[in-house]
Amino acid sequence: MARTLLITTLAASAVVLSACQTVDTTKPGVVGVDRDQRMMVSSEEVNAGSAKAYAQMMAEAQKKGVLDKDAAMVKRVQDITRRLIPHTTTFREDAAKWPWEVHVISIDEVNAWCMPQGKMAMYTGLVQKLNATDDEIAAVMGHEIAHALREHSREQISRQMGMQLGIGLVGALFGVGELGQGIAGQVANVTLNLPKSREAETEADRIGVELAARAGFDPRAAVTLWEKMGKVAGGSQPPKWLSTHPPHGDRISDLRAYSERVMPLYSAAKGGAAAGK
Ligand SMILES: [Zn+2]
């Protein structure tokens, strides 16, 4: 009996492990992000989960009366995001066809996020408490968009599946119908609650400054953004953003170096804009 169970488990493990694939989600860009990523769940599943979770969360925000309340801020955040999105194709062409969406949530919390396939939220607390400039908002959104381009949520969920293989198997064996809901919950969890890895953070920082520069936003604003974030962190209510985007010692110097590297892109974008006027 025990032997049969063991064999069944091994066979099932083999199925799961064979589903593991190594991918590189993005092209390197000028900043040169290039790292193989191990995935145990498909983009399709994660994206479906993201769409479901996002729709639920926005419906909830609507019900609570905190969705897109500040018309001026909504326009500002949407305009900035709209300028960034076309440049995502530098890193992956399919992003042009993503169902991009951004909403502003009236919560007095320093936070912003982007779920898989460009489902974004900016909290009013981030803009107000940091007194963020347009360039700094672009730095936040560029960083968040970069997480989505690199499919960091899918990678994080894959890592969790790897650690909880037994639990994953039970789920797969007993309720395929539950999987959609399960993935939606996991996407929301990794987006809102779990800290990202240091390597994911560095990648998002580097791709983020390139997106900002290409869209004509000063990439050096990523540095002032983090300096402001650091000041607020010393206060009574530390930024929620820092719990999911853990700061590390050499982040500022890395951002300085990479924002300098993309300055020619920024100058070209500004020059192009000036010539167009
Ligand atoms: Zn991050």
Side-chain angles (χ1 to χ4, degrees), residues 8-57:
T8 312
T9 308
L10 287 175
S13 300
V15 171
V16 171
L17 290 175
S18 69
C20 176
Q21 54 172 154
T22 301
V23 297
D24 194 349
T25 50
T26 52
K27 290 181 277 181
V30 165
V31 291
V33 169
D34 183 18
R35 175 179 63 84
D36 285 345
Q37 300 167 277
R38 287 169 61 82
M39 303 296 194
M40 292 180 72
V41 58
S42 70
S43 294
E44 288 74 19
E45 281 174 279
V46 171
N47 296 344
S50 173
K52 187 175 174 178
Y54 190 75
Q56 259 174 28
M57 287 155 75

Side-chain angles (χ1 to χ4, degrees), residues 107-217:
I107 303 178
D108 197 25
E109 201 175 73
V110 179
N111 204 2
W113 42 260
C114 180
M115 299 207 304
Q117 280 210 315
K119 301 294 195 185
M120 292 173 269
M122 169 64 84
Y123 292 10
T124 49
L126 187 148
V127 179
Q128 287 161 348
K129 287 190 177 170
L130 302 185
N131 191 21
T133 64
D134 283 2
D135 292 321
E136 288 164 349
I137 292 174
V140 172
M141 296 322 256
H143 176 100
E144 290 305 319
I145 287 170
H147 278 308
L149 295 175
R150 291 287 294 155
E151 298 187 55
H152 284 148
S153 292
R154 180 179 165 213
E155 198 178 2
Q156 206 169 359
I157 290 168
S158 297
R159 212 170 286 143
Q160 288 183 313
M161 289 171 90
M163 288 187 291
Q164 301 169 352
L165 198 56
I167 298 166
L169 279 174
V170 171
L173 289 173
F174 287 100
V176 175
E178 294 287 300
L179 204 60
Q181 202 178 4
I183 291 279
Q186 286 184 62
V187 171
N189 190 40
V190 297
T191 305
L192 296 176
N193 300 322
L194 300 185
K196 292 178 179 67
S197 69
R198 180 179 170 143
E199 61 188 0
E201 282 306 294
T202 301
E203 290 174 358
D205 279 346
R206 293 176 182 178
I207 290 175
V209 291
E210 180 164 342
L211 287 172
R214 286 182 182 277
F217 294 103

Side-chain angles (χ1 to χ4, degrees), residues 74-93:
V74 171
K75 185 180 184 312
R76 190 176 169 210
V77 170
Q78 287 185 340
D79 285 350
I80 292 168
T81 309
R82 209 169 288 140
R83 276 173 59 186
L84 291 168
I85 289 170
H87 300 283
T88 56
T89 53
T90 300
F91 297 95
R92 52 186 297 168
E93 274 151 31

